[in-house]
Each structure stands twice: as C-alpha cells, then as structure tokens.
C-alpha cells in the first residue's frame, strides 16, 4: 500500500513540474480611432479610454513653434498638460501657438507629458518650492530660465475637478517657487515676476455651454458667469502672488459633436473664436 501511495505522489510531483507556466496577460492600448465614441448627452467627440474630447482623425494637426531666441522680441511660453495630441485641448494649443507666431511673437512650448515632468514634490524639493531653501534642480532651473525669458505664460489643459490637471498644478508649484516668483516683503509676500502676464486656455464640459470668458455664456448664462467669475478669483490671486498680470481665460464648453455633418466647420469656428479672443487680449490696444 505504501508503494502505491508513493508512486502516486511521484506522479503528481512530476505532473506539476512539467506544467508550462501561462504567459502573463497583456493589455493592448487602443489607438484613438479605435476608441472614438460619442457622448449622447453632450454630443462631444470622446476618447472611450479617457472620456475626454478628441478631434476626428482626419482633422488632427500638429504645430511645432520655433522657440525662443536672443532677439528682443515679445515671447510666449505655452505650458500644455495633456498626453493626447489628438485632443481638442491640443488643437486649441496648436491654434494659439500658430497664431501668436503669425502675429510676430516667439513661442516656446513645454509639453509636460512628453517631458515626463514629475509634478510630485520630493521632500527636498518641497522646501525649495515653499521656502526657497536649498539649491534648485537643473530641470526646474531650465523651466525658470524660460519663464524669465517669457513676457507671457499660457497654461493649456483640460478642466478636471474644477481646476487644472495635476501635472500643470505640479509645474506651478515646482517652477514658481519662493525667491523666484515671490518673496517676503515689508508688508507680506510680494511677487517678483512683475513684467509678465498669465493666461489660460481650458477645455471643459458642463459649465453652462459657453465659449470664451466672463459674459460669453450661451446656453445657461447664469451658470457660465458663476463659474467664470470663480476662476477669475483664483487667477487674480495667483497673479498677485507671483506679481504678474492675469489676462483671463479662454474656456471652451461647446465641443462639436463628432457625428455632426458640419464638424470641420464647427471645429474651425471654435479655433476662430480662440483666435479672436487672443487678438483682443494680446494685440488690441484699445
């Protein structure tokens, strides 16, 4: 009996050793065209993976600005937080950069996802950002040099939880550190970037169906202005903190529906609205 049991045990052990391990399952990231869908409530073109607005494949475009030179030319630093270059957010960023260069500005873009920018402060960087203590890292020093060279700083991002996406917020926290963007003064904190402006381009939804800034609501003007005035409070506070001038925002709450027969025209209308706003903010002196 013992021999029989021993034989069975050996057979079980051999069977276990000869079993081929299963290969780990892999997740295939879908392409933009494979994930396109429509939000039946808002009509917005969406990426089914991220539930965020995207541009139809044949209308996606890219733009590479020429960057800063040593010339005494007005300069705009464009900081973009969106990993998808086929998004409506990036379409607005590209539209803005192309127009600003067309009007004679020099433009430098900081694609935070392409840069693998880390928005999380380490303990060492925390004290530099908060108190100006210690040495600035080379990566942040590079960004500060670009901010110093810029006349205008433009933040571009989707609206998440009523504020900027985390990678943009982290950029602000790390780059606009104490003793660089502000310092202790006789009457409290004082901003150091007094010769610069800030401006925001934000793509969003459910804010009242407007496009532009305060007073530009369309579907629900009361809700629109309530949100825009709230954003203005934050923008003005940040501007005072850094010593810059806030030029407001261009907020898009009306993305064309991807099943629209006039999608291309409607996207062009959105881009033209941004250009008109940029013109009034930066180039109209009246």
């Amino acid at each position: 009996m013992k021999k029989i049991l021993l034989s069975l045990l050996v057979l079980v052990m051999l069977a276990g050793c000869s079993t081929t391990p299963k290969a780990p399952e892999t997740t295939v990231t879908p392409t933009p065209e494979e994930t396109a869908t429509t939000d039946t409530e808002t009509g917005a073109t969406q990426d089914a993976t991220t539930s965020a607005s995207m541009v139809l494949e044949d209308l996606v475009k890219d733009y590479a600005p020429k960057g800063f030179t040593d010339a005494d030319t007005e300069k705009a630093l464009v900081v973009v937080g969106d990993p998808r270059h086929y998004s409506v957010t990036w379409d607005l960023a590209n539209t803005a950069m192309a127009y600003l260069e067309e009007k004679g500005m020099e433009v430098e873009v900081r694609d935070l996802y392409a840069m693998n920018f880390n928005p999380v402060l380490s303990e060492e960087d925390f004290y530099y950002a908060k108190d100006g203590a210690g040495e600035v890292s080379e990566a942040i020093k590079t960004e500060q040099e670009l901010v110093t060279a810029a006349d205008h700083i433009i933040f571009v991002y989707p609206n998440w939880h009523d504020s900027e996406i985390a990678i943009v917020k982290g950029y602000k926290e790390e780059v606009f550190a104490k003793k660089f963007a502000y310092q202790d003064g006789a009457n409290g904190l004082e901003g150091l970037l007094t010769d610069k402006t800030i401006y925001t381009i934000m793509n969003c939804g459910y804010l009242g169906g407007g496009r532009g800034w305060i007073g530009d609501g369309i579907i629900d003007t009361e809700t629109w202005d309530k949100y825009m005035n709230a954003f203005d409070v934050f923008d003005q506070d940040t501007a005072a903190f850094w010593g810059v001038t806030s030029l407001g925002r261009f907020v898009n709450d009306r993305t064309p529906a991807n099943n629209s027969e006039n999608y291309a025209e409607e996207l062009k209308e959105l881009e033209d609205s941004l250009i008109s706003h940029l013109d009034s903010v930066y180039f109209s002196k009246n």
Side-chain angles (χ1 to χ4, degrees):
M1 186 67 178
K2 289 182 178 179
K3 290 183 178 180
I4 294 174
L5 291 173
L6 183 60
S7 298
L8 290 172
L9 181 59
V10 170
L11 288 172
V12 170
M13 292 175 65
L14 289 173
C17 291
S18 63
T19 302
T20 303
K22 291 183 178 180
E25 294 183 1
T26 58
T27 301
V28 179
T29 301
T31 61
E33 56 270 23
E34 290 173 335
T35 61
T37 186
T38 305
D39 183 332
T40 55
E41 293 185 8
T42 67
T45 309
Q46 293 189 336
D47 177 338
T49 302
T50 64
S51 299
S53 301
M54 57 178 281
V55 175
L56 294 182
E57 183 182 4
D58 59 345
L59 295 175
V60 173
K61 53 181 177 291
D62 203 358
Y63 186 83
K66 299 178 179 63
F68 291 170
T69 71
D70 293 332
D72 186 18
T73 305
E74 205 167 358
K75 294 172 171 58
L77 180 66
V78 180
V79 180
V80 187
D82 192 328
R84 301 153 308 115
H85 281 236
Y86 52 87
S87 67
V88 172
T89 301
W90 261 105
D91 185 83
L92 294 173
N94 290 327
T95 297
M97 292 188 292
Y99 182 69
L100 293 176
E101 285 198 332
E102 177 187 326
K103 294 291 286 186
M105 280 193 194
E106 291 185 355
V107 177
E108 178 77 48
V109 63
R110 307 308 285 161
D111 182 349
L112 299 184
Y113 278 96
M115 293 162 54
N116 291 319
F117 185 84
N118 183 2
V120 180
L121 286 167
S122 65
E123 183 176 357
E124 180 181 1
D125 290 340
F126 176 88
Y127 290 106
Y128 170 75
K130 181 179 182 296
D131 302 310
E135 295 296 323
V136 60
S137 69
E138 286 301 316
I140 298 304
K141 182 179 179 181
T142 296
E143 301 308 311
Q144 290 179 343
E145 288 172 348
L146 290 170
V147 169
T148 298
D151 300 290
H152 310 290
I153 304 150
I154 301 173
F155 298 102
V156 187
Y157 53 80
N159 174 28
W160 282 19
H161 302 282
D162 292 319
S163 67
E164 61 265 77
I165 194 169
I167 201 167
V168 175
K169 181 63 163 61
Y171 185 92
K172 291 180 178 181
E173 290 175 354
E174 296 196 55
V175 175
F176 295 83
K178 191 171 184 179
K179 298 184 181 178
F180 171 73
Y182 61 97
Q183 66 182 6
D184 293 315
N187 299 313
L189 296 177
E190 57 184 23
L192 298 175
L193 306 178
T194 55
D195 58 342
K196 306 182 189 305
T197 73
I198 57 171
Y199 179 76
T200 298
I201 298 171
M202 186 176 76
N203 194 46
C204 61
Y206 306 106
L207 295 185
R211 179 182 290 167
W213 191 219
I214 298 167
D216 295 326
I218 295 173
I219 298 172
D220 182 349
T221 57
E222 182 178 353
T223 297
W224 174 264
D225 278 349
K226 179 178 71 173
Y227 275 104
M228 296 307 108
N229 280 292
F231 288 129
D232 189 46
V233 170
F234 286 109
D235 293 342
Q236 295 294 346
D237 187 65
T238 298
F241 198 51
W242 297 344
V244 302
T245 299
S246 173
L247 299 180
R249 299 186 177 214
F250 178 86
V251 180
N252 173 48
D253 195 35
R254 294 174 57 229
T255 296
N258 73 328
N259 58 357
S260 171
E261 295 180 356
N262 302 309
Y263 183 92
E265 291 82 1
E266 291 172 10
L267 182 65
K268 180 65 165 52
E269 180 184 347
L270 169 59
E271 294 167 348
D272 287 345
S273 294
L274 172 58
I275 288 172
S276 177
H277 203 261
L278 291 170
D279 193 61
S280 66
V281 166
Y282 291 105
F283 305 109
S284 296
K285 305 302 182 183
N286 296 330

